[in-house]
Amino acid sequence: MADSLDSKDYETGSAIRTFNIIETSVGPEGYEVLLEMDLDSGYDLESVRMKISHEEMVAYETSDIHEAVKYALGFFE
């Protein structure tokens, strides 16, 4: 069981096909976002929590948390 807790290095993973923001909260350090994601592999991820700091929002040059999540997940236009 302890092996499953060890960090593993992988070169690639499954791409995120779509994501939905379920809930967003803001605190002194930044945003916490609850997501659901559909992966290219056919699997779904539910109740995924992502944290985005205020500094990251500035770096993404947006005040829209949805846009920041898109950038953080690698969705660029």
Side-chain angles (χ1 to χ4, degrees):
M1 187 69 152
D3 290 338
S4 66
L5 299 177
D6 291 336
S7 175
K8 307 245 189 257
D9 291 328
Y10 297 99
E11 290 187 30
T12 64
S14 185
I16 300 168
R17 190 178 312 158
T18 62
F19 71 91
N20 292 310
I21 296 176
I22 306 304
E23 182 181 314
T24 303
S25 60
V26 64
E29 295 179 16
Y31 292 84
E32 186 169 298
V33 183
L34 181 65
L35 302 165
E36 291 181 352
M37 293 185 238
D38 299 317
L39 303 179
D40 242 6
S41 63
Y43 286 97
D44 298 332
L45 299 176
E46 297 179 355
S47 300
V48 175
R49 294 207 179 270
M50 171 185 269
K51 294 183 180 181
I52 298 179
S53 70
H54 293 297
E55 291 82 13
E56 290 167 327
M57 294 290 288
V58 171
Y60 293 140
E61 298 179 354
T62 185
S63 59
D64 181 352
I65 190 61
H66 189 269
E67 287 297 313
V69 170
K70 282 175 40 178
Y71 296 147
L73 294 177
F75 289 90
F76 301 103
E77 295 180 11

